[in-house]
Amino acid sequence: MAKKYIYTFKEGNGKDKKLLGGKGANLCEMTQIGLPIPPGFVITTEACLAYLKKNKTGLPTELRNELHAAMKQLEKETGKGFGNPENPLLVSVRSGAAMSMPGMMDTILNLGLNDETVSGLIRLSQNERFAYDLYRRLIQLFGSVALGVEDQEFNVIWNKIKKAHNAQQDIQLSAKALQQACQEFLDLVAKKDRPFPQDPYEQLELAVESVFRSWMGKRAVDYRKEFHITRDMADGTAVNICTMVFGNMGDSSATGVAFTRDPATGENRFFGEYMINAQGEDVVAGIRTPKPISELRKEMPAVYRELDKLRHTLENHFREIQDLEFTVEDGKLYCLQTRDAKMNASAFIKTSVDMVNEGLISEEEAILRVKPDMLEQLLHPRLDPEAQAVVLAQGLPASPGAASGRIVFDADRAETKAKLGEKVILVREETKPDDIHGFFASQGILTSRGGKTSHAAVVARSMGKPCVSGCEAIVIDDIKKEAVISGVKLREGDTITIDGTTGNVYQGEVPTIDPEFVEDLLVLLEWADEISDLEVMTNADTPEAVTKAKKYGAVGIGLCRTERMFNQQERLPVVQDMILAETPEERQAALDQLLPFQREDFLGIFRIMDGSPVTVRLLDPPIHEFLPSHDELVEEINHLKRLKQTVEGMSGLPDTLKIIDPELHDRYAANLEAITKGLAELKDRHLTASIIEAKESLLEKVDSLTEINPMLGHRGVRLGITYPEIYVMQIRAVLEAAATHIREGGKVAPEIMIPQVCTLQELKWVHRYVTEISKDVEKKFKTQVPYKFGTMVEVVRACMRAGRIAELAQFISFGTNDLTQATFSFSREDAENKFLPLYNEKGILQHNPFEVLDVKGVGRLMMITIEWARKTQPGLKVGICGEQGGHPDSIRFCHHIHMSYVSCSPPRVPIARLAAAHAKLTEKEYRLD
């Protein structure tokens, strides 16, 4: 049997979004449950793929035949004729992929109008203005989408006609003015490659082809890339052919966009906007600022009641917040589409908790509604309410959050500036789908026109970016690249701040404060923790970071880097003395000074965690990292020598001046004496031979310590074995701090972790130190300190010897940053700066392996390690503390291989908690290739 490419709304399977696209599937579903949907049909995503495979050279014959047959069926159903001047059938042609991509692909409305049918429509409707309004819209939209005429060329003509007829708004133009626009639009198209087609079937086929091609258009490709929409999630777009209904037939007609709940806050109230005597594109494009949906209750009370009923029907049926488009044609309500609403993280979280409380969804469904990475939106700073900031203007709060940046007036400039590292705010009269790359690049979006359901608002909310729309106090001059806001002139490059929660616009950068967790998020994360198998710990080494991580829900510290503590200003000179020591005694003297510092650091952390695990990694990096670099020292030594030479030359200045000009010498004798004295003191304090010699000696030491490849050199456990006194001091600091906290009445669970281990013998060597010091501390403090001894696994050989290492290690933690470097033979800094972006772009590697765990390579090593280690020690505690430990995809893999915990930076703890629950709930779907 021939493949079926077309399904009517009455026969399509509303659950098959991959075949019918999200929009088409929902139109079928709504039709079949009896909602007021105009008749139509769906061309499948398979047809799109067949067209694209055919190299875009016209519709496949079988699809063309099926399309014509479907139109004949639609004529029978509506009682109208496609191209019939007596009773013309008009249709819309709209895209619809399996995953919602609002505004990213093409749409054409009012298809089927031509010079003959427009006359028939006038006779039929007795409304000349209405008919010409439809025709001019079709010519412009078809001309720009299907024929490639620049939209701006139509706008120039349109604005000229509006000016000639003294019309501020489109609806103020007369039928005669609209007829003039139609003719001038037709003349414009005729000057291009091909005239506007008068054959409705030619219009239809070209429109379908345009929608198919838009699947591979730049904005659609950029959108899929930004939101990680892969081919298995959505491949090709469906095309929806729907009978036109008209919101621009007069004051008894309207069009609008609505959400079953507020998409900005999640509040359970009807939210939306509409326009009287308009078509849907007017609302979405933001050309005019629409009215809030609440006013429809006054203007069309019966329609509002029907719309409110539709709202509840849709939400209860789809069990999800819906974003719907509607049209009122001469008092009759039609629903043109519904889809799952795009919302920011706060709204998703609130609606998830609310819908559980309302009995609409389960706790598990609520957790799965909120994607873990969404939580990043909640961790951005908010404007300081105490800041003395002056509000320039206020628009509509279209997408919450605050952002500061330099003004740019077009999407291309935004992208260019962002690539140079600048933070920018995209400022436009209204945005279009083609601006999508500018959205990705910007910190926030500000528009002078459009409402809360405009393109700018919807896309910004889906990205979690702040947006202020409809800020009519802004007058933008794209040519001069400047804007005037409430009398203040701002040019491109000037800094502004926008607050998408209030709609306020500020001049300059407004100070921010840390975010606060909302109650609903705490509830959602409690549900997540009850489901998860993985525990979530944190990487932290200061009391401030530890406090924040505990507040975010970390159950322990999976990585406390001791070297970070060495870098504090008052400690670094002591650390350098320790490194430069010529004898063990000199080194021990420096370490004795460091011991109280380290002990106090650990004590502060133990007090905060009070019984939760604290995994302390002993010194890891090469010790030369605590010293100035070779180049810095050479520059400093040369500078001192030049300065010394200059000072010595200036010391003879008084005698020289006395010879050249005795009178001048005598006049400034006192000053010259002071200068000479000052130079002598400068030389004695800073430029003596011993000072310069000390710097030269330090340079020799740095050169002796410098390694060709330090990341594979003298670091980690190798350093602890070469200079055991360093590890001895750190172990003592950990155990004495723990003992002190026990004596204070607290609880402790210290874990001492050894880095860069490749053999059991290294662990044994350090374990002896721990055993001896533990006994000494127990005797000194008269208390027993419980502790665990373990290792990082970041060396490939350690993976291969995991069975032996587990004979002594009580836990292991994968250091995936170094393990990834070793597995790929990549230097991270060089790879990320030189070739990794190209590898990702060319598809050689799907992800940056330093951000997303490489499950096929590094992951396999981890699986082998766990299998062999747990054969030796069943139930061994295994974790991950590399950066990938906070990435949702990596967490899913960690759950799959039965790890005990993941550890990540404090801000990613909430993300990891939610991701761990997702991993558990979707474990049956996980497949490791």
Side-chain angles (χ1 to χ4, degrees):
M1 291 180 62
K3 184 179 286 290
K4 182 176 173 65
Y5 283 133
I6 293 178
Y7 294 83
T8 68
F9 292 167
K10 291 180 179 179
E11 66 179 344
N13 180 358
K15 301 293 187 287
D16 195 350
K17 292 188 176 182
K18 284 201 171 182
L19 181 67
L20 302 178
K23 188 178 297 177
N26 286 344
L27 285 168
C28 293
E29 185 108 346
M30 289 190 292
T31 297
Q32 292 163 30
I33 63 172
L35 297 182
I37 310 299
F41 55 87
V42 187
I43 306 174
T44 66
T45 56
E46 290 178 345
C48 173
L49 297 177
Y51 170 79
L52 295 175
K53 189 175 181 181
K54 195 172 177 274
N55 297 322
K56 311 173 191 174
T57 54
L59 296 180
T61 303
E62 59 273 23
L63 173 58
R64 183 183 293 109
N65 294 338
E66 206 174 336
L67 177 61
H68 284 233
M71 287 302 295
K72 296 300 181 188
Q73 179 62 36
L74 194 58
E75 288 178 325
K76 288 181 182 178
E77 192 171 350
T78 60
K80 300 178 180 182
F82 194 52
N84 182 345
E86 300 303 319
N87 189 13
L89 169 64
L90 305 185
V91 297
S92 62
V93 179
R94 308 178 77 183
S95 62
M99 299 287 289
S100 178
M101 298 168 55
M104 295 303 107
M105 291 177 289
D106 290 330
T107 290
I108 299 178
L109 306 180
N110 310 316
L111 214 79
L113 278 175
N114 56 26
D115 292 346
E116 288 186 357
T117 54
V118 75
S119 300
L121 190 61
I122 292 170
R123 289 191 300 272
L124 192 67
S125 66
Q126 295 296 300
N127 189 335
E128 188 178 15
R129 187 192 183 283
F130 159 69
Y132 283 123
D133 187 38
L134 294 185
Y135 197 22
R136 65 94 184 172
R137 291 171 184 270
L138 170 63
I139 300 165
Q140 178 168 359
L141 200 52
F142 189 92
S144 59
V145 170
L147 301 179
V149 181
E150 287 292 332
D151 205 39
Q152 185 59 29
E153 295 188 64
F154 290 107
N155 291 338
V156 169
I157 295 171
W158 184 245
N159 291 331
K160 184 184 70 173
I161 291 173
K162 283 175 67 176
K163 186 175 181 181
H165 290 80
N166 197 27
Q168 296 297 316
Q169 300 288 340
D170 299 354
I171 57 175
Q172 295 172 327
L173 288 171
S174 65
K176 186 176 180 181
L178 292 171
Q179 184 181 16
Q180 178 190 348
C182 291
Q183 189 55 57
E184 292 195 31
F185 282 3
L186 287 169
D187 293 342
L188 171 65
V189 174
K191 293 176 185 175
K192 305 298 179 179
D193 292 340
R194 63 191 298 178
F196 178 82
Q198 292 293 314
D199 178 359
Y201 276 99
E202 184 182 356
Q203 293 177 15
L204 180 62
E205 290 180 22
L206 288 173
V208 171
E209 286 190 63
S210 297
V211 175
F212 282 162
R213 286 196 302 272
S214 69
W215 173 253
M216 294 307 298
K218 183 180 186 303
R219 64 179 187 260
V221 171
D222 287 348
Y223 188 93
R224 293 197 295 275
K225 183 177 179 181
E226 178 72 15
F227 289 99
H228 309 294
I229 299 175
T230 57
R231 289 185 63 181
D232 62 319
M233 297 162 69
D235 197 7
T237 180
V239 179
N240 303 283
I241 311 294
C242 189
T243 304
M244 284 296 303
V245 289
F246 305 104
N248 58 334
M249 289 187 71
D251 291 342
S252 63
S253 300
T255 189
V257 175
F259 293 79
T260 55
R261 305 190 190 205
D262 190 326
T265 66
E267 186 182 352
N268 190 358
R269 68 181 182 89
F270 201 15
F271 176 95
E273 294 171 323
Y274 73 101
M275 289 181 182
I276 298 290
N277 196 19
Q279 284 202 301
E281 64 188 50
D282 299 335
V283 179
V284 177
I287 295 170
R288 286 155 50 195
T289 300
K291 299 177 183 180
I293 200 75
S294 56
E295 292 191 23
L296 189 65
R297 189 199 301 260
K298 303 171 188 174
E299 292 196 281
M300 298 181 179
V303 170
Y304 181 86
R305 287 193 296 273
E306 192 178 353
L307 190 59
D308 192 50
K309 181 181 177 182
L310 175 65
R311 162 204 178 194
H312 292 293
T313 300
L314 289 173
E315 192 169 284
N316 289 330
H317 180 79
F318 289 103
R319 300 170 69 243
E320 183 55 87
I321 314 306
Q322 293 297 293
D323 166 5
L324 60 134
E325 294 181 18
F326 66 91
T327 286
V328 181
E329 181 182 276
D330 197 20
K332 181 172 174 55
L333 175 68
Y334 292 93
C335 184
L336 304 184
Q337 82 157 6
T338 192
R339 61 190 173 196
D340 293 349
K342 298 284 186 183
M343 297 183 288
N344 59 61
S346 294
F348 258 113
I349 291 163
K350 177 168 177 52
T351 54
S352 292
V353 174
D354 285 351
M355 286 196 293
V356 170
N357 294 334
E358 294 162 15
L360 199 59
I361 60 175
S362 67
E363 290 180 5
E364 290 80 3
E365 289 171 311
I367 289 167
L368 290 174
R369 281 185 81 241
V370 183
K371 304 305 179 205
D373 277 336
M374 275 186 173
L375 300 191
E376 287 191 34
Q377 298 172 20
L378 302 180
L379 303 175
H380 296 314
R382 54 196 173 95
L383 294 185
D384 185 351
E386 303 298 322
Q388 301 299 309
V390 178
V391 178
L392 283 179
Q394 186 173 37
L396 298 173
S399 181
S404 299
R406 297 182 179 225
I407 295 173
V408 291
F409 293 101
D410 69 76
D412 291 339
R413 290 282 288 167
E415 186 176 51
T416 300
K417 294 280 189 182
K419 285 180 178 176
L420 296 174
E422 290 189 32
K423 292 184 176 181
V424 298
I425 302 289
L426 181 61
V427 179
R428 305 278 281 161
E429 285 191 343
E430 75 270 349
T431 63
K432 298 179 180 180
D434 286 338
D435 292 326
I436 189 66
H437 56 298
F439 278 63
F440 297 146
S442 302
Q443 303 299 307
I445 298 93
L446 171 63
T447 69
S448 62
R449 298 201 297 236
K452 294 182 180 180
T453 57
S454 64
H455 171 265
V458 171
V459 176
R461 279 196 297 269
S462 73
M463 295 180 178
K465 294 197 175 188
C467 176
V468 174
S469 63
C471 189
E472 296 177 351
I474 305 175
V475 179
I476 297 171
D477 188 328
D478 286 326
I479 304 300
K480 293 183 179 178
K481 300 291 183 188
E482 64 183 29
V484 177
I485 308 179
S486 304
V488 177
K489 183 179 286 188
L490 297 170
R491 294 182 173 83
E492 183 167 285
D494 290 343
T495 298
I496 61 171
T497 297
I498 63 171
D499 187 346
T501 306
T502 63
N504 288 339
V505 181
Y506 305 86
Q507 187 172 8
E509 185 170 349
V510 179
T512 58
I513 57 176
D514 286 340
E516 290 290 334
F517 269 22
V518 294
E519 183 65 29
D520 288 324
L521 176 58
L522 297 177
V523 171
L524 189 76
L525 290 176
E526 284 176 9
W527 294 343
D529 291 342
E530 290 171 4
I531 289 168
S532 306
D533 288 342
L534 280 168
E535 290 189 322
V536 177
M537 300 173 72
T538 190
N539 302 339
D541 38 64
T542 66
E544 295 78 18
V546 172
T547 300
K548 180 180 285 188
K550 189 173 183 181
K551 176 184 172 184
Y552 288 168
V555 298
I557 297 176
L559 176 61
C560 177
R561 300 177 177 93
T562 53
E563 61 270 9
R564 299 273 180 95
M565 302 167 175
F566 283 174
N567 281 317
Q568 294 183 28
Q569 189 173 1
E570 72 276 13
R571 305 179 189 186
L572 192 55
V574 183
V575 174
Q576 292 177 346
D577 287 345
M578 180 265 294
I579 295 169
L580 298 172
E582 296 292 338
T583 65
E585 292 76 18
E586 289 178 0
R587 184 171 296 108
Q588 189 60 55
L591 289 168
D592 288 344
Q593 293 183 64
L594 287 174
L595 175 61
F597 288 131
Q598 289 259 275
R599 184 171 55 222
E600 198 61 31
D601 290 332
F602 298 136
L603 180 57
I605 291 171
F606 290 144
R607 283 171 176 162
I608 295 167
M609 298 310 293
D610 197 37
S612 297
V614 176
T615 308
V616 178
R617 183 182 72 183
L618 301 187
L619 189 64
D620 182 34
I623 55 176
H624 75 262
E625 289 191 6
F626 298 101
L627 299 175
S629 72
H630 171 91
D631 290 344
E632 287 172 344
L633 282 170
V634 168
E635 176 61 29
E636 186 178 0
I637 290 167
N638 289 338
H639 173 71
L640 290 173
K641 287 180 176 179
R642 288 193 300 269
L643 185 58
K644 181 181 180 183
Q645 190 175 12
T646 301
V647 168
E648 288 173 346
M650 291 180 67
S651 63
L653 179 62
D655 294 337
T656 303
L657 187 59
K658 189 172 184 177
I659 296 170
I660 297 173
D661 192 332
E663 182 184 347
L664 195 62
H665 171 272
D666 293 342
R667 189 187 309 168
Y668 294 106
N671 292 352
L672 289 170
E673 185 178 348
I675 290 171
T676 303
K677 187 176 179 181
L679 290 171
E681 287 186 15
L682 174 64
K683 183 178 176 182
D684 290 341
R685 287 186 184 183
H686 303 289
L687 302 173
T688 62
S690 60
I691 290 173
I692 295 175
E693 286 171 5
K695 294 290 183 183
E696 290 175 332
S697 176
L698 179 57
L699 177 61
E700 289 179 13
K701 186 71 173 180
V702 166
D703 287 344
S704 71
L705 292 173
T706 299
E707 299 170 283
I708 295 172
N709 193 340
M711 299 313 292
L712 299 178
H714 196 192
R715 58 176 293 207
V717 68
R718 303 152 213 159
L719 197 63
I721 292 173
T722 309
Y723 302 112
E725 53 270 26
I726 297 176
Y727 272 18
V728 166
M729 181 275 291
Q730 292 193 302
I731 295 164
R732 181 172 293 280
V734 171
L735 296 179
E736 287 189 356
T740 302
H741 188 51
I742 291 172
R743 287 175 61 171
E744 294 172 342
K747 299 176 182 177
V748 295
E751 299 182 346
I752 296 171
M753 183 163 67
I754 314 304
Q756 294 295 318
V757 167
C758 69
T759 173
L760 176 62
Q761 299 309 313
E762 290 171 322
L763 267 190
K764 286 181 176 179
W765 193 279
V766 180
H767 189 256
R768 285 198 292 270
Y769 309 155
V770 178
T771 303
E772 291 169 7
I773 295 167
S774 174
K775 291 176 182 176
D776 187 54
V777 169
E778 184 178 338
K779 183 178 179 182
K780 178 179 177 182
F781 286 82
K782 295 182 174 54
T783 185
Q784 188 171 2
V785 177
Y787 68 87
K788 287 186 176 179
F789 178 77
T791 181
M792 288 188 83
V793 174
E794 51 200 328
V795 177
V796 174
R797 190 178 189 278
C799 299
M800 299 296 100
R801 300 296 292 162
R804 290 299 310 279
I805 286 172
E807 292 174 7
L808 183 56
Q810 294 170 288
F811 68 90
I812 61 174
S813 179
F814 290 101
T816 48
N817 299 333
D818 279 347
L819 187 57
T820 299
Q821 288 195 109
T823 304
F824 278 90
S825 192
F826 286 174
S827 162
R828 177 171 186 173
E829 290 77 10
D830 290 334
E832 289 185 329
N833 290 330
K834 293 179 179 176
F835 61 84
L836 260 184
L838 180 66
Y839 268 42
N840 295 147
E841 182 184 326
K842 300 292 186 186
I844 297 171
L845 289 175
Q846 190 173 357
H847 300 288
N848 178 343
F850 296 104
E851 294 175 356
V852 182
L853 188 66
D854 165 46
V855 299
K856 296 178 182 178
V858 178
R860 290 287 183 184
L861 284 172
M862 294 167 67
M863 292 172 69
I864 292 168
T865 303
I866 294 171
E867 180 186 351
W868 292 353
R870 284 182 173 160
K871 278 183 181 177
T872 300
Q873 190 182 148
L876 178 70
K877 181 179 177 180
V878 179
I880 176 176
C881 60
E883 285 181 38
Q884 299 95 326
H887 192 284
D889 287 346
S890 306
I891 291 169
R892 197 175 186 194
F893 173 75
C894 292
H895 172 87
H896 176 72
I897 61 174
H898 307 295
M899 291 178 66
S900 313
Y901 70 90
V902 297
S903 187
C904 55
S905 63
R908 294 200 68 85
V909 167
I911 297 167
R913 290 169 67 190
L914 188 58
H918 274 240
K920 175 67 174 179
L921 291 172
T922 61
E923 60 186 355
K924 292 182 180 177
E925 303 165 20
Y926 190 78
R927 295 289 181 272
L928 182 61
D929 295 333

